[in-house]
Amino acid sequence: MEIAQGVHSIGQDAGGHVRCFLVDGGDRLTLVDTLWDADGHRITEEIRRIGRKVTELAHIVLTHGHRSHLGGLAALKEMSGAEVLCHGWEADIVEGDRTAQPVPIVPMRPLRAYLRVYPLQLGAALGVDGHRPCRVDAMLADGDRVGPLRVLHAPGHTPGHLAFYWPERRVLFTGDAVVTYPLLAPGWPAFTLNRKQACASLCRLTELRVDVAAVGHGDAITTAAADRLLSLTEVAHDQWNG
Ligand SMILES: [Zn+2]
Ligand SMILES: [Zn+2]
């Protein structure tokens, strides 16, 4: 599904209605995250559907090292030869040398909404169901450019969490700093390691006043994105920053 010109959203129910994004700036392709499935088939199908070849995928950028976003990484790198890029703090997790920090086992509130995510939370709490490790080619830092995207360091969910911004399209890839599944939230509370940092990052992302917010879990925000991010920032500040 094309959520903005040249931005294709690909999703699946597993991994908490996780989403990844194929970015077509007219030249070679860039992929933001890789979904849950280990074979990457939804992504390769989308590449072919838009009339491109898998080998035209030049870069795979990762928002962070959580299982839901790393599923297809190793397979896609093998098929495409794409460069894999992420923040240095996440790189050894991606490469399989360190496991992601466990999350709390207590179910998130409101229970009615978050019960659907609980199997995933339990897996992350117990550190089971890892991804297939994959070599990282280069580290990203705030201000870097990859294809048409600008790199924004947006820590909080994890220390090396990145967001990406396509200024010409006014599209922001928030990673897990914003989710719309199972409800609109400044990330899933139990998965957010540092809430103060998450608030500060969200403020910074909100200031971009984007047209589209492509989020890590659930459908992208394609209408009134700037205002909805602003109200979310206020919620996050009230709940998480005292
Ligand atoms: Zn995450
Ligand atoms: Zn996630």
Side-chain angles (χ1 to χ4, degrees):
M1 179 185 164
E2 196 169 20
I3 55 169
Q5 194 194 339
V7 180
H8 303 269
S9 170
I10 312 162
Q12 64 176 124
D13 290 351
H17 286 223
V18 68
R19 296 289 186 271
C20 75
F21 303 95
L22 189 61
V23 175
D24 179 3
D27 192 6
R28 293 178 73 195
L29 303 167
T30 301
L31 181 69
V32 180
D33 289 344
T34 66
L35 297 180
W36 175 271
D37 288 332
D39 62 4
H41 73 279
R42 291 165 208 271
I43 296 157
T44 53
E45 280 164 18
E46 182 67 10
I47 292 173
R48 287 188 205 105
R49 196 190 65 78
I50 65 167
R52 308 291 291 265
K53 294 194 200 76
V54 175
T55 48
E56 290 179 77
L57 183 61
H59 305 105
I60 302 172
V61 294
L62 301 169
T63 57
H64 65 296
H66 277 160
R67 169 67 182 86
S68 299
H69 308 268
L70 302 176
L73 179 63
L76 288 162
K77 181 169 174 61
E78 279 168 15
M79 285 185 271
S80 65
E83 257 199 323
V84 172
L85 307 134
C86 70
H87 189 278
W89 196 88
E90 314 280 332
D92 58 341
I93 298 175
V94 176
E95 293 185 332
D97 295 333
R98 178 165 61 96
T99 49
Q101 192 157 331
V103 307
I105 203 159
V106 180
M108 296 180 276
R109 311 273 158 174
L111 212 56
R112 202 166 19 143
Y114 279 113
L115 216 49
R116 281 173 280 176
V117 181
Y118 193 64
L120 204 61
Q121 185 184 341
L122 195 62
L126 302 175
V128 296
D129 210 5
H131 65 285
R132 208 177 121 207
C134 181
R135 187 170 54 81
V136 174
D137 297 295
M139 315 292 178
L140 294 174
D142 194 77
D144 287 348
R145 309 277 315 217
V146 182
L149 304 180
R150 208 163 76 200
V151 177
L152 299 157
H153 186 210
H157 184 77
T158 62
H161 184 276
L162 299 176
F164 300 95
Y165 184 46
W166 190 357
E168 288 76 18
R169 298 284 195 276
R170 302 185 59 80
V171 176
L172 174 68
F173 303 88
T174 69
D176 283 4
V178 179
V179 297
T180 61
Y181 177 86
L183 41 82
L184 178 67
W188 292 341
F191 285 75
T192 302
L193 296 177
N194 186 321
R195 293 178 173 190
K196 254 198 175 125
Q197 274 185 359
C199 278
S201 293
L202 185 56
C203 277
R204 189 174 164 223
L205 300 181
T206 299
E207 281 165 11
L208 295 168
R209 300 287 304 168
V210 300
D211 288 344
V212 172
V215 306
H217 299 269
D219 291 336
I221 305 171
T222 54
T223 53
D227 290 342
R228 291 181 76 191
L229 288 185
L230 184 61
S231 44
L232 193 61
T233 303
E234 285 158 11
V235 170
H237 195 79
D238 287 348
Q239 288 181 357
W240 289 359
N241 218 16

